[in-house]
Amino acid sequence: VAAPRALAVDVGGTRVRAAVVTRQGRVLARLEAPTRAADSPEAVVAQVADLARRLPAEGIAVAGVCAPGPLDVDRGMALATPTIAGFRDFPLRAALADCLPWPVHLEHDGHAAAWGEWRFGAGRGTQDMVYVTLSTGIGAGVVTGGRLQRGHRGMAGHAGHMTVAPGGPVCACGNRGCWEAIASGPAFAARARDAGFADGAAAFAAARAGDTAALALCGALAADIGLGLTNLIHLFSPALVVVGGGMTAGLDLLAPGIAAHIARTALPPFRGVPVLPAALGDNAGLVGAAALAFAARTRAMSLSPSQASG
Amino acid sequence: VAAPRALAVDVGGTRVRAAVVTRQGRVLARLEAPTRAADSPEAVVAQVADLARRLPAEGIAVAGVCAPGPLDVDRGMALATPTIAGFRDFPLRAALADCLPWPVHLEHDGHAAAWGEWRFGAGRGTQDMVYVTLSTGIGAGVVTGGRLQRGHRGMAGHAGHMTVAPGGPVCACGNRGCWEAIASGPAFAARARDAGFADGAAAFAAARAGDTAALALCGALAADIGLGLTNLIHLFSPALVVVGGGMTAGLDLLAPGIAAHIARTALPPFRGVPVLPAALGDNAGLVGAAALAFAARTRAMSLSPSQASG
């Protein structure tokens, strides 16, 4: 009998990704599509079912799904995802279970990506790791003492909504001065446009060509990212920080400023904590969701062998 | 044979406390003294030895010690405790083991108090709890999935040094805008004095008597405490937050403002997280240090029975 495989699904605000993943974290096949985020939750669920249908089903024993928070993982609900229409008190796990022939395990995307990087990526071999997605939003996943930190209802890791600049820019959540409101992709893009660049990517490109204004934008962004990471380092004491998400396209420009901010503002014992790029790229969430689904299946089988496949 | 007891020691920047504590968290005898914080680490260690000598030794099998961070718990070192002279790269556990006849288990005071409140106090029955000491400094201890979050080298929980107001007041650590620099006891006392009160306690008393200026000070403090707690709620997703430390003397005045800040600024699923006062008061650290020392002893005995008493 071949080792079981997982269908892994990463429901993002921009892309829906689905893959077949082995127990060893290997991605055997992979598809993606632009998320029908403006339509309805049912449309997004139908997209997942469609991608799953187009992947080879052979050997798949479990489905691991990750999605943006806040989710109630215990009840399988999307509570209030701002980036996808209708993901508000929506029973995502049940809706997916209705159209997939495997047990469905649901996790926060930040938790799944953290677990993927910890098991198979940049965090391998540590006991304590903080993973941060720097993207349209900012989220975190934490491994502490070799365990994924889920928190009550699986809702830990909403790092983007730390207030770090009271009275600062308005966030998508309605507050002012959230970390996400100053250090996310859209926040940087807005500042880049104010300085005359087409978008964030154009500012990164100009900075690489030596443009002074672009370099100044990157320096300010690095300090803002460094500020939030320093807070997380003080709170979680990770052996290392792993950063992923679209903003890491500029990490070559940002890493020195991030490290300098940590070295300047962290308490002395925390000054050397390294910040590394994610090793699995876009696949971190898929690989982590698969690994967590395998682990949930193993737990279910050891608790109740007769129901393990249901 | 009677059940074993622990010598519990809480080395604070202001008071050194020592007690005999049972496995059930009961404090059988207790002594304290003003910390000789300005003298030398050896003077503080001698104080601990003196208090221990004056307590009934009968049945004591282990010593549980907690002290302010940053500590390297793995190596038993006080790394850079700003409030006690000479607690800088000082081998605290070894120094205590030299003058106490029991194995010495060292923990951060915030972690010990969190564990005490979780096992025997306000956090009983939860899986995910954040404990915050609001005192001369601000520190946190987190229980996640029923386990104490230690972090790399046991250094998690330095919540007081989250930057929450960049460019704000200077902190004891040298940075500006740490949570501790705006919401600790000394920060509140300074604002109280600026407003014409003798100290923080006088401002609390005046607020209870209806003084408008004092009530405004309390409102601002509640918002500043609420800001940091809301950050922790987003990051850790606790089922409840427990607050201890000297500042909780004003919790009757502060609780409504803290709850209002959380309800106003937290993401919707986090708005109802309750904030409760510590149930064990000054004994939380002692009781938690004892419980953690018992747990370490049990682990040591199960790993290596022949060395368990050494």
Side-chain angles (χ1 to χ4, degrees), chain B residues 167-200:
Chain B
V170 175
C171 182
C173 77
N175 284 327
R176 286 182 173 278
C178 293
W179 189 26
E180 184 167 308
I182 63 170
S184 66
F188 182 63
R191 281 194 260 171
R193 283 191 299 270
D194 286 348
F197 299 100
D199 56 19

Side-chain angles (χ1 to χ4, degrees), chain A residues 80-192:
Chain A
T81 309
T83 47
I84 306 180
F87 268 45
R88 178 167 286 274
D89 297 323
F90 176 67
L92 178 59
R93 187 174 54 209
L96 289 167
D98 277 350
C99 61
L100 296 174
W102 310 288
V104 175
H105 183 79
L106 179 66
E107 296 278 351
H108 272 269
D109 50 6
H111 295 185
W115 195 250
E117 286 292 333
W118 184 72
R119 280 289 308 276
F120 301 112
R124 265 184 299 183
T126 65
Q127 284 292 296
D128 302 283
M129 180 199 84
V130 169
Y131 172 84
V132 177
T133 314
L134 301 167
S135 181
T136 312
I138 296 181
V142 174
V143 175
T144 180
R147 290 169 169 247
L148 182 63
Q149 171 157 329
R150 286 193 171 88
H152 186 53
R153 301 198 283 165
M155 295 202 305
H158 284 83
H161 299 288
M162 276 195 289
T163 302
V164 296
V170 175
C171 182
C173 77
N175 285 325
R176 287 182 172 276
C178 294
W179 188 27
E180 185 167 309
I182 64 170
S184 66
F188 181 64
R191 280 193 261 170

Side-chain angles (χ1 to χ4, degrees), chain A residues 128 144 147 149 151-153 155-159 161-164 166 173 175 231-232 234-237 265 269-270, chain B residues 128 144 147 149 151-153 155-159 161-164 166 173 175 231-232 234-237 265 267 269-270:
Chain A
D128 302 283
T144 180
R147 290 169 169 247
Q149 171 157 329
H152 186 53
R153 301 198 283 165
M155 295 202 305
H158 284 83
H161 299 288
M162 276 195 289
T163 302
V164 296
C173 77
N175 285 325
N231 284 359
L232 300 183
H234 282 129
L235 288 165
F236 295 103
S237 188
T265 65
F270 296 113
Chain B
D128 301 283
T144 180
R147 290 169 169 247
Q149 172 156 330
H152 186 53
R153 301 199 284 167
M155 296 203 304
H158 284 81
H161 299 288
M162 276 194 291
T163 302
V164 295
C173 77
N175 284 327
N231 284 0
L232 300 182
H234 282 128
L235 288 165
F236 295 105
S237 188
T265 65
L267 294 180
F270 295 113

Side-chain angles (χ1 to χ4, degrees), chain B residues 197-227:
Chain B
F197 299 100
D199 56 19
F204 284 151
R208 280 188 200 103
D211 181 278
T212 314
L215 286 166
L217 282 174
C218 290
L221 176 62
D224 287 339
I225 293 172
L227 190 163

